[in-house]
Amino acid sequence: MTRFWAPRAWIGDAVANGVRVTASGGLIASVETETIPDATDHRLDGLVLPGAVNAHSHAFHRLLRGRTHGDGGSFWTWRELMYREAGRLDPASYERVATAVYAEMVAAGWTAVAEFHYVHHAPDAQSYDPPHAMERALARAARAAGIRLTLLDTCYLSSGFGQPLEPAQRRFGDADAGAWLARLSALREVFADEHPEVVVGGAVHSVRAVPVDALERIGAELDPAIPLHVHLSEQPAENAACLEATGLTPTALLARSGLVSERLSAVHATHLTDDDIAALGAAAATIVMCPTTEADLGDGVGPARRLADAGARIALGTDQHAVVDPLLEARALEHGERLASGRRGRFSPAELVAALTRGGASAVGRAVGRIAVGEPCDFLVVDENSARTAGSDPGQLVLTATAHDVARVIIGGRERATGGAHTDLGPVGDLLGKAVLA
């Protein structure tokens, strides 16, 4: 048994005082409030929040940070640079990069991550021998960093409606939906034995990358118990192409294919119609907003408030890792709403904390994101007296703190980061520098 005590912690939807959390076997065994510390407690000085859940990640995109802005451009020109980096990856370099990125996440306060993974094969599009080499590399990276990994093996079959994969995309693809389903099933079996700590889910990259007949087959045959993710309506061009090819919006096409349900996590969901919003809300789907990426790529501001009001759950992700900071992502969600609406307080501080934590539970297929009995003992400690946070109402620290104020990170009852450094892997900047420049 390990006992943690904090002057304040986020319990439910509010700040509680004098909180003692007892952990056993990595899970929370008891939670007490209005207590005083004693000599047997591990004291956590600051506001304790549940561990942040990163509901959308492409680990290798971190290689692009600070390297794509010289000529302006658009999402589509950025994508060409992304393909270049993807083409250079092999299992060893991917493990090195992912280890550093996951360590950066942990030090910032992310304790679980959904990795939207599509770099499956060798650069010549041949399968690795032994198979699943890239997936195993990601699992080893997550284990080294101590983050809870949900690996979303992604179906990627076409470059656009009726278009074959481009040369730069061929290593992402499979022969057809049946081949992808078979490979996913094999991966799940391998990981059940080798990496039982990893949740293996699925993803369809986007409606432009998975033909209509493949979407329908996946809707009919994919195990309904596993998480399913999709990039949805990130760009107006995607919507226009889908309407031209099918007469439907991307959301309507997914719904017709049987893929819009409570287990769906729709990433971005930026350019939606009223009917799209109603359908996603009625299904209680999770909407994964990635505000810093959506700003960085010029995607636009998605209708997060309207989606939440319609019944969808809101989660947050770092996507391309232009920023790996849970508190800034939460703040950017609210700031985007303010800029779009001209009103403050579109999401309350409690709603922002929920989006940052338990909002991503379905997306990662885990019971996470709460300081509650039976849940994993995952939390981060926010310094209440930094240059950014001093004087803040504890209940509003989500609007003033940044990852620089995350003093300690606990995952499974074990300290994994302190003062911005990973306890096992060391200074995160050194790890990233070596990984990016190697």
Side-chain angles (χ1 to χ4, degrees):
M1 291 273 190
T2 303
R3 301 202 316 175
F4 299 95
W5 186 90
R8 277 166 293 282
W10 197 275
I11 309 296
D13 285 316
V15 175
N17 295 318
V19 178
R20 176 177 290 114
V21 175
T22 301
S24 178
L27 300 178
I28 295 174
S30 67
V31 179
E32 305 168 81
T33 61
E34 302 298 336
T35 68
I36 58 174
D38 64 36
T40 64
D41 292 328
H42 293 269
R43 181 161 180 150
L44 305 174
D45 290 320
L47 173 67
V48 174
L49 295 175
V53 178
N54 189 343
H56 189 64
S57 164
H58 300 292
F60 79 91
H61 288 193
R62 175 61 178 81
L63 296 170
L64 296 171
R65 185 191 292 178
R67 297 183 175 194
T68 65
H69 308 282
D71 299 317
S74 66
F75 166 85
W76 304 101
T77 56
W78 170 90
R79 192 176 67 155
E80 295 305 313
L81 298 173
M82 180 271 288
Y83 288 156
R84 182 190 66 192
E85 294 298 337
R88 302 196 309 195
L89 292 171
D90 58 31
S93 64
Y94 206 5
E95 181 175 351
R96 186 166 57 246
V97 170
T99 299
V101 172
Y102 293 154
E104 182 181 13
M105 289 183 195
V106 168
W110 301 105
T111 58
V113 61
E115 181 66 33
F116 199 110
H117 167 64
Y118 50 79
V119 189
H120 303 303
H121 309 300
D124 62 0
Q126 298 300 305
S127 297
Y128 281 101
D129 184 17
H132 314 302
M134 298 296 264
E135 294 76 20
R136 286 174 158 123
L138 287 167
R140 290 192 297 269
R143 181 180 286 177
I147 200 167
R148 300 186 190 277
L149 174 65
T150 296
L151 182 62
L152 302 165
D153 193 275
T154 301
C155 184
Y156 201 134
L157 303 177
S158 61
S159 64
F161 291 93
Q163 301 297 318
L165 291 172
E166 298 172 4
Q169 299 168 325
R170 290 179 60 232
R171 71 181 304 191
F172 307 161
D174 293 285
D176 53 31
W180 175 71
L181 286 163
R183 190 172 55 74
L184 174 62
S185 178
L187 177 65
R188 285 170 58 79
E189 290 182 8
V190 167
F191 270 41
D193 180 50
E194 292 183 9
H195 292 284
E197 76 280 6
V198 176
V199 172
V200 178
V204 292
H205 179 273
S206 56
V207 295
R208 69 177 185 272
V210 181
V212 172
D213 60 342
L215 289 174
E216 293 172 347
R217 182 169 182 180
I218 292 167
E221 298 183 21
L222 184 66
D223 182 348
I226 70 173
L228 175 67
H229 289 226
V230 60
H231 293 124
L232 183 66
S233 292
E234 183 177 4
Q235 290 287 319
E238 174 187 322
N239 289 358
C242 190
L243 282 166
E244 182 178 355
T246 70
L248 300 170
T249 67
T251 299
L253 177 58
L254 290 173
R256 191 183 72 178
S257 303
L259 296 174
V260 175
S261 68
E262 189 173 1
R263 67 94 170 258
L264 180 69
S265 292
V267 182
H268 303 305
T270 307
H271 302 282
L272 302 179
T273 66
D274 292 346
D275 287 345
D276 294 339
I277 292 170
L280 292 164
T286 297
I287 308 300
V288 185
M289 295 292 182
C290 305
T292 58
T293 286
E294 289 146 11
D296 183 72
L297 297 181
D299 290 343
V301 177
R305 181 71 266 169
R306 293 180 62 203
L307 283 158
D309 291 344
R313 293 165 293 191
I314 305 300
L316 292 166
T318 58
D319 193 0
Q320 60 147 335
H321 315 304
V323 172
V324 178
D325 186 325
L327 294 155
L328 285 183
E329 292 293 350
R331 194 176 315 165
L333 175 65
E334 165 63 8
H335 285 178
E337 283 285 329
R338 293 182 186 186
L339 289 168
S341 69
R343 294 174 52 202
R344 304 178 79 220
R346 297 280 285 169
F347 284 91
S348 70
E351 288 177 308
L352 294 177
V353 173
L356 193 58
T357 57
R358 66 179 185 266
S362 178
V364 297
R366 300 176 184 270
V368 290
R370 304 174 192 263
I371 299 176
V373 173
E375 299 232 347
C377 186
D378 300 350
F379 38 75
L380 59 101
V381 185
V382 179
D383 182 356
E384 297 181 71
N385 295 299
S386 76
R388 290 158 295 279
T389 61
S392 296
D393 180 328
Q396 297 183 34
L397 279 174
V398 69
L399 290 165
T400 60
T402 73
H404 290 290
D405 305 309
V406 174
R408 299 173 71 180
V409 180
I410 310 295
I411 304 177
R414 175 184 168 188
E415 186 167 83
R416 286 291 189 171
T418 180
H422 195 280
T423 52
D424 296 329
L425 301 175
V428 172
D430 291 347
L431 288 171
L432 288 164
K434 293 174 184 176
V436 169
L437 296 175

